[in-house]
Every structure is written in C-alpha cells, then in structure tokens.
C-alpha cells in the first residue's frame, strides 16, 4: 500500500484522536525505522519510550516467536511459568515486592491507587499528586494527572485529588491531611518536561507517608526498566516506595504493565478486588523476561548511564551556539532540552531530515534513545538537530 492509501484508510475508519505525522512506518530495526516511501529515520524516541531496546530486538523477537508457538495466552484462573518468572526477575531488581500484571501504564496506576485505598483505613481516600505530572488517560489516572489541559471536557473529575507543586516539600507537608491514602509521583516527570525530583523531595514523601500511615506510589512507567542507567529511577535517590508502577519498555514493544507492591501492602489485594483479563499474558511476560536478559547480558544499564552523560554533554555544547537553548537536564537516556521558545517546528524539520525526537510541554525537546544507542548515532542526531536549529535561526 502507498502512504496515501494507508492514510485514506485512517481517515475513513480510524478515530482521529491522535495528531499523526504524515508517515506510514513499515519496519523498525535497532535505532532506525523505515517508512513506506523507503526513508530511513534515526529514532531517538522509539515507540514513545516503549522500544527501550530499539525496534524489534532479535532476542525479544525470538522469545516472542518461541512463546507464541507454545502458549499465547492462558487466563489467570491458572498459573503460568512466564508470569511467575517475570515477577521474580522484577522483584529481585527492585525492592523485593510482589507483582500484579496488566497491559498499560494507566492500568498499572489504577491498580496502584485501588491498592492504596484497600490498604489504608476507609477514612483515607485522598491522593496527592504533583503539578506537571502525567499518570494516564483513564478517569482516575487523568484526575491524578495534575495538568489542567488533560482535564478539559471531563469535569467533574473523581473526588479526593490534591495537586501540589513538584519538588516543593512545604506544600506537600501542608496538603498532607489525615485523609490522604497515598502520594503518587514520577521520579522524573516525562510528559511534564523531564523534571527531575530532588532526593530531598522523594525522601520527604517517604517520611510523611510513614508518619501519616499513607502509601508512597512511584510511577516508573517512563523511568523504569533501565532508562535512567539503573533499573528504576528511584534507585538514584536513596528511597524506596511502597508501590511502583511500570509499563512502556518492559515488553520491548508488547503491551504490558506491572504494579509492584511491598509484600505487606500487596497482601491487601485479595481475590475479587482487582483483575485484568490479559494481565500477565504468556506472550507479554516472555517478552518482558527477554528484555531483562538482554539489558543484563549487554551491560545496557551502563550504556544508558554513559551515553546519557555523553548526550547531555553534546547537547550542552549546542547551548553555546543556540541562544534558544535554556538548559539541558535529565538522568541516563531520559533527557530534556529546555528551549525558551516552542519546539514543534524544530522537531518536525528534524523528521524531514531523518531524525525522530519529541517535543513535550511545548518547549522541551525530549531525547529518549534506545539503550543500545551508540556514540556515532548520538553524534548523527545532534548534527541534524544543530543544522535544523541553525536553518530556523536564519
Ligand atoms: C509516567 C507515565 N505514567 C503513565 C503513563 C500512561 O501509560 P499508558 O499510555 O501505557 O497508559 C505514561 C504515558 O506516557 C507515563 O509517561
């Protein structure tokens, strides 16, 4: 099919709830994707942070093919080996918690909020979340998302949500009434513009949750699975949550979400309280196991840490040249370039020149390259960005 024919199909049959770029992607391999017109695109934001190992990692593909031939899906009426194995691998790389499996980040956060309510006394029903956060698009998670633009058209939202400025300990303390069941934050706000939490802030959440008998939830949907150079973002901050959620990169391209909870908290989730038909699906879990093995086998946590530093350094050099760059921030391969002007045009022009990056929160260019990325590919990406910015400044 031609690009035009595919777009016509979408125009006629697919709901237009996404602002799509006029490209049809037909193939992906490593750090590159290919469109229907034969163009090669260097992908520094593959799958919106889903393809953390790049596109179609051969070991993940192989694991999926093997599992597909054995058992694609078995419902949670039974036990299945891949689900148990993946839970063990995740638990051992985090805080030793137990897992509940689902299919997306929003679902994992829903599960986390429901568990926090189940685990705390009934009079505790409120949630504190941070301005600039993003937790998903279901009713509870969009309510938790403290950005008014996502609320438009959906009022009234769920009751009981309190929004506080990110990284502001005093505001947190004064919002923390006895009715609070949980605080939920991202260690690094992704959609909000790559805003890194301070260690003091996360530790204050931990302290206040302990003092008040509330639950600390970390949303690691974007930061988890090695993205920051450690398995989970919280591991940079000398703090441990009670509940953590993950999704995106965990399945290497297959839909999966997970909520992990400390054993004593997890015990509150008993049969009948929460479930997901597809959750812990054999295929998705086999992919998740392969993702973890590939990261470990290829020392990719180290690569994410090293290449993250390299990328930030190169981007900081661009700042000397382009006055529109205000600052560069992030940890590992989760990097934001704060501009003092909108970035959509830059990002679109980069795509024309064969580079995919992302613009978030209007003025932040987001780099989230796969963990297999090389210095040469980073150099290539930054050269394209540099030339586009130079061209637009003329
Ligand atoms: C931090 C965070 N939480 C939750 C979500 C929602 O995940 P999903 O789109 O898989 O429901 C996202 C998606 O971008 C996210 O970045």
């Amino acid at each position: 099919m031609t690009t035009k024919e595919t777009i016509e199909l979408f125009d006629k049959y697919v709901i237009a709830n996404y602002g799509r770029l006029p490209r049809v992607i037909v193939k992906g391999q490593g750090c590159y994707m290919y469109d229907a017109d034969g163009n090669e695109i260097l992908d520094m934001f593959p799958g919106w942070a889903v393809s953390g190992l790049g596109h179609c990692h051969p070991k993940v593909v192989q694991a999926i093919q093997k599992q597909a031939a054995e058992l694609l899906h078995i419902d949670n009426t039974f036990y299945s080996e891949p689900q148990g194995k993946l839970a063990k691998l995740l638990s051992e790389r985090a805080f030793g918690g137990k897992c509940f499996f689902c299919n997306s980040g929003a679902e994992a956060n829903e599960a986390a909020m429901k568990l926090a309510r189940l685990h705390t006394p009934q009079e505790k029903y409120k949630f504190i979340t941070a301005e600039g956060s993003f937790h998903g698009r279901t009713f509870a998670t969009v309510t938790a998302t403290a950005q008014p633009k996502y609320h438009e058209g959906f009022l009234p939202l769920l009751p009981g949500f309190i929004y506080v400025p990110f990284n502001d300990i005093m505001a947190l303390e004064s919002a923390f009434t006895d009715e609070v069941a949980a605080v939920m934050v991202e260690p690094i706000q992704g959609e909000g513009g790559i805003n890194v939490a301070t260690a003091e802030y996360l530790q204050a959440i931990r302290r206040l949750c302990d003092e008040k008998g509330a639950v600390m939830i970390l949303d690691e949907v974007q930061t988890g699975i090695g993205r920051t150079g450690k398995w989970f973002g919280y591991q940079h901050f000398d703090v441990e949550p009670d509940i953590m959620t993950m999704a995106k990169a965990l399945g290497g391209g297959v839909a999966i979400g997970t909520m992990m909870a400390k054993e004593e908290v997890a015990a509150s989730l008993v049969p009948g309280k929460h479930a997901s038909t597809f959750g812990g699906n054999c295929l998705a879990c086999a992919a998740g196991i392969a993702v973890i093995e590939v990261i470990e086998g290829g020392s990719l946590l180290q690569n994410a840490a090293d290449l993250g530093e390299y990328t930030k350094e190169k981007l900081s050099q661009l700042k000397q040249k382009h006055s529109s760059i205000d600052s560069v921030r992030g940890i590992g391969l989760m990097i934001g370039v704060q501009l003092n002007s909108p970035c959509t045009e830059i990002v679109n022009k980069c795509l024309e020149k064969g580079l995919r990056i992302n613009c978030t929160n209007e003025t932040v260019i987001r780099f989230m390259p796969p963990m297999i990325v090389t210095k040469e590919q980073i150099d290539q990406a930054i050269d394209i960005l540099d030339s586009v910015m130079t061209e637009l400044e003329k």
Side-chain angles (χ1 to χ4, degrees):
M1 276 169 81
T2 63
T3 296
K4 188 168 169 284
E5 284 164 347
T6 304
I7 292 175
E8 277 167 6
L9 276 184
F10 271 64
D11 288 346
K12 204 157 174 199
Y13 298 111
V14 179
I15 293 178
N17 62 314
Y18 300 101
R20 295 179 197 267
L21 297 163
R23 302 274 185 132
V24 178
I25 305 301
V26 291
K27 187 176 153 71
Q29 203 170 27
C31 294
Y32 296 91
M33 57 182 176
Y34 301 86
D35 71 17
D37 298 313
N39 296 302
E40 181 180 84
I41 300 158
L42 177 61
D43 198 351
M44 293 285 122
F45 193 63
W48 209 272
V50 162
S51 308
L53 299 179
H55 293 283
C56 299
H57 193 285
K59 293 214 168 110
V60 177
V61 171
Q62 203 179 26
I64 290 170
Q65 284 170 338
K66 185 165 176 292
Q67 186 61 49
E70 279 168 17
L71 182 62
L72 275 172
H73 173 81
I74 187 68
D75 49 273
N76 284 301
T77 316
F78 299 98
Y79 294 93
S80 57
E81 212 176 284
Q83 187 176 149
K85 278 187 176 167
L86 180 58
K88 177 175 189 281
L89 290 173
L90 291 170
S91 178
E92 287 171 350
R93 279 149 192 79
F95 48 83
K98 286 185 154 181
C99 296
F100 162 81
F101 290 98
C102 51
N103 316 285
S104 67
E107 277 181 74
N109 288 335
E110 284 278 348
M113 288 188 278
K114 283 180 75 178
L115 175 54
R117 289 281 298 271
L118 284 175
H119 188 68
T120 50
Q122 219 185 344
E123 62 274 15
K124 290 189 183 292
Y125 70 98
K126 292 192 174 171
F127 293 95
I128 297 180
T129 62
E131 287 168 11
S133 58
F134 186 87
H135 298 295
R137 302 287 199 152
T138 60
F139 249 106
T141 59
V142 86
T143 307
T145 295
Q147 296 196 59
K149 68 180 176 194
Y150 294 108
H151 297 166
E152 278 165 25
F154 301 114
L155 300 178
L157 297 168
L158 261 62
F161 283 77
I162 305 165
Y163 308 134
V164 294
F166 189 56
N167 272 338
D168 183 335
I169 296 174
M170 287 214 325
L172 179 74
E173 276 170 346
S174 55
F176 218 124
T177 64
D178 290 337
E179 291 172 316
V180 172
V183 179
M184 179 161 72
V185 294
E186 298 151 83
I188 305 172
Q189 293 185 333
E191 303 308 301
I194 314 291
N195 306 315
V196 183
T198 62
E200 296 72 33
Y201 183 61
L202 294 179
Q203 287 159 12
I205 296 176
R206 177 70 278 167
R207 176 177 54 78
L208 287 163
C209 284
D210 289 342
E211 282 171 16
K212 301 269 189 182
V215 171
M216 176 174 182
I217 304 172
L218 286 182
D219 177 342
E220 296 253 10
V221 166
Q222 204 163 135
T223 47
I225 319 298
R227 165 67 46 199
T228 65
K230 291 190 189 279
W231 280 108
F232 298 101
Y234 79 85
Q235 292 166 335
H236 292 276
F237 300 100
D238 194 22
V239 69
E240 247 180 38
D242 299 304
I243 302 179
M244 171 174 77
T245 56
M246 62 199 108
K248 290 207 188 269
L250 176 57
V254 178
I256 186 168
T258 308
M259 171 194 67
M260 185 189 290
K262 282 186 176 159
E263 190 159 0
E264 64 274 20
V265 179
S268 297
L269 200 54
V270 294
K273 291 297 182 195
H274 197 59
S276 163
T277 299
F278 285 104
N281 174 281
C282 295
L283 189 82
C285 288
I289 293 167
V291 164
I292 292 175
E293 287 172 353
V294 168
I295 291 175
E296 232 144 48
S299 307
L300 295 183
L301 292 179
Q302 194 58 51
N303 200 52
D306 294 347
L307 272 282
E309 282 312 302
Y310 181 75
T311 309
K312 273 197 289 184
E313 201 181 299
K314 297 285 283 189
L315 287 168
S316 301
Q317 284 165 16
L318 275 196
K319 181 170 144 56
Q320 322 295 325
K321 227 172 135 183
H322 302 285
S323 58
S324 56
I325 298 182
D326 176 77
S327 57
V328 177
R329 55 182 182 247
I331 305 182
L333 290 174
M334 186 164 179
I335 300 169
V337 182
Q338 176 70 62
L339 303 186
N340 45 39
S341 51
C343 51
T344 309
E345 198 182 356
I346 295 175
V347 166
N348 290 346
K349 284 256 183 256
C350 282
L351 185 63
E352 280 169 26
K353 291 188 177 239
L355 169 68
R356 199 259 180 124
I357 45 177
N358 171 258
C359 171
T360 191
N361 211 18
E362 285 164 36
T363 54
V364 181
I365 297 178
R366 185 163 42 163
F367 272 77
M368 290 185 74
M371 295 171 75
I372 55 162
V373 74
T374 62
K375 274 189 179 172
E376 291 69 30
Q377 287 160 338
I378 297 289
D379 288 346
Q380 192 190 344
I382 289 174
D383 283 350
I384 295 175
L385 177 62
D386 184 14
S387 72
V388 165
M389 290 184 81
T390 305
E391 213 172 279
L392 290 174
E393 279 157 15
K394 274 181 194 157

